[in-house]
Amino acid sequence: MDRMASIHKWGSHNVVPPPLPSHLQTIKYTPSMTSLGNSSWGLSTFSFFLVGIPGLEESQHWIALPLGSLYLLALVGNVTILFIIWSDTSLHQPMYLFLAMLATIDLILASATAPKTLAVLVAHSCEIWYPTCLTQMFFIHAFSSMESGVLVAMALDRYVAICHPLHHTTILTIGVIGRIGLVVLVRGLLLLTPFPILLHRLIFCQSVVISHAYCEHMAVVKLACSDATVNRAYGLVVALLVVGFDVFAIGISYSLILSAVLRVPGRDARLKAFGTCGSHICVILVFYVPGMFSFLTHRFGHNVPHHVHVLLATLYLLVPPALNPIVYGVKTQQIRQRVLRVFYINVRT
């Protein structure tokens, strides 16, 4: 394969293009196709190529099985949650309305990631059109930010329900819930819209192969041969701003909840109060723990094998959407009873 005489000149450095997996060996690096931005290479024909799971190309079709199962579980579980909340007016309460927001975001987040990832892993459909790559990246990062915001709103709901139970429905009215949802949506859109805009100004003259299973922001930025300092800095600021603020807000909410619960007389009453927060705490851990680990290993875990990072980053986007409906279905009595009722009626008919 012509690798542009084996070496690209990048400033004063000699950069050797990375070796390609066997199913991408037909990609040619030529000066006319490896530059973007200010070049003549048009957006209408420019494409990236996704590797999938680097280093595991020969066995990644087996990895697609659990990933496909997680995606199917996410679809069935979240659609079920939405159907139950929509069809049962007694569940049109703050906790369940926020849960419906979470289920909607999970559906979009999983659907933005899984179809292309599975196509890469199973069918080696590696090519992704440049605008499609930017769109996927925007949806993944924007809706991850929105999910974090909804978790903050759910923590606020638990705080009001436990600390001010008599005023729960008067404080968190339908209008207030709608405005909270709008703020979460606008925050995600405003903070993440600069991602594709900043990427559009970069020049890609070294490689068009993304060593990832989907268009992840930093994985694309690392391909640029123009100065990407602004992109890296903005990505770090957004991650720290969103996660830092949201984790702080959730921590404050649960500190107040813990303080209020410990003042409740009687062990059974305290356990019941904690039980109302159990499902939300599980969802928080499922979302933030793998997300923080993936973020830290991507930027600082240079000793972590790349295929491990890509697997964790992919699971991070599919595990929460798949597990959230199960967590709420198991730990929330109202949801569990209505799911069982729906299946019981269907079985009888």
Side-chain angles (χ1 to χ4, degrees):
M1 182 180 65
D2 177 15
R3 301 185 66 206
M4 298 182 67
S6 300
I7 295 178
H8 280 286
K9 297 292 185 180
W10 181 13
S12 60
H13 302 282
N14 293 332
V15 182
V16 179
L20 296 180
S22 58
H23 60 282
L24 294 180
Q25 290 294 324
T26 57
I27 299 174
K28 302 290 185 181
Y29 291 89
T30 63
S32 64
M33 71 168 287
T34 53
S35 59
L36 184 64
N38 297 325
S39 72
S40 60
W41 180 247
L43 290 182
S44 60
T45 53
F46 182 80
S47 296
F48 286 118
F49 294 84
L50 295 164
V51 169
I53 311 296
L56 301 178
E57 290 83 9
E58 300 303 322
S59 58
Q60 62 186 13
H61 57 282
W62 294 109
I63 299 173
L65 290 176
L67 294 182
S69 300
L70 286 173
Y71 181 49
L72 181 61
L73 192 59
L75 291 179
V76 174
N78 287 291
V79 168
T80 301
I81 291 288
L82 287 172
F83 173 76
I84 288 173
I85 294 174
W86 173 77
S87 61
D88 193 334
T89 55
S90 66
L91 296 181
H92 293 179
Q93 302 173 26
M95 174 182 174
Y96 303 107
L97 294 177
F98 286 131
L99 178 56
M101 293 182 192
L102 186 68
T104 303
I105 291 171
D106 279 342
L107 279 173
I108 297 173
L109 191 57
S111 296
T113 309
K116 183 59 182 177
T117 297
L118 293 174
V120 172
L121 299 182
V122 176
H124 298 313
S125 177
C126 302
E127 185 174 5
I128 182 168
W129 190 37
Y130 179 71
T132 305
C133 181
L134 294 187
T135 303
Q136 184 190 48
M137 180 195 308
F138 173 77
F139 270 83
I140 288 173
H141 291 289
F143 280 87
S144 294
S145 169
M146 292 177 201
E147 178 151 350
S148 182
V150 171
L151 292 178
V152 175
M154 297 174 85
L156 172 64
D157 169 67
R158 291 300 85 203
Y159 162 73
V160 176
I162 291 175
C163 299
H164 305 283
L166 299 179
H167 305 287
H168 185 209
T169 55
T170 57
I171 294 175
L172 291 176
T173 62
I174 298 296
V176 170
I177 294 170
R179 285 192 287 273
I180 291 174
L182 183 61
V183 168
V184 169
L185 175 66
V186 170
R187 185 188 74 161
L189 295 178
L190 289 180
L191 286 178
L192 277 304
T193 296
F195 271 24
I197 296 174
L198 290 173
L199 274 172
H200 187 68
R201 54 180 281 277
L202 297 180
I203 298 175
F204 298 89
C205 56
Q206 172 63 31
S207 174
V208 292
V209 179
I210 302 173
S211 297
H212 217 291
Y214 57 87
C215 282
E216 199 271 338
H217 177 249
M218 285 305 300
V220 177
V221 169
K222 287 179 178 179
L223 298 182
C225 58
S226 56
D227 185 14
T229 303
V230 175
N231 300 71
R232 296 173 186 271
Y234 186 74
L236 182 61
V237 168
V238 169
L240 294 177
L241 182 65
V242 171
V243 176
F245 175 80
D246 291 354
V247 170
F248 177 76
I250 291 172
I252 291 294
S253 297
Y254 274 97
S255 297
L256 295 173
I257 289 171
L258 180 62
S259 176
V261 168
L262 292 178
R263 293 197 300 267
V264 174
R267 181 173 178 272
D268 292 340
R270 287 196 294 270
L271 289 176
K272 184 178 180 180
F274 278 126
T276 63
C277 301
S279 54
H280 185 235
I281 293 174
C282 290
V283 168
I284 289 173
L285 294 176
V286 166
F287 180 76
Y288 284 111
V289 171
M292 288 299 296
F293 186 78
S294 176
F295 172 79
L296 292 174
T297 55
H298 192 72
R299 293 179 180 272
F300 309 109
H302 303 297
N303 295 325
V304 178
H306 190 55
H307 66 271
V308 173
H309 166 71
V310 174
L311 275 172
L312 288 174
T314 306
L315 289 172
Y316 161 64
L317 296 178
L318 292 177
V319 169
L323 290 187
N324 288 350
I326 296 175
V327 169
Y328 274 99
V330 171
K331 286 190 164 290
T332 306
Q333 184 179 5
Q334 292 88 336
I335 296 290
R336 184 172 66 251
Q337 288 177 343
R338 283 156 180 80
V339 170
L340 293 175
R341 187 186 306 165
V342 168
F343 281 103
Y344 177 70
I345 292 173
N346 288 338
V347 169
R348 288 193 63 184
T349 56

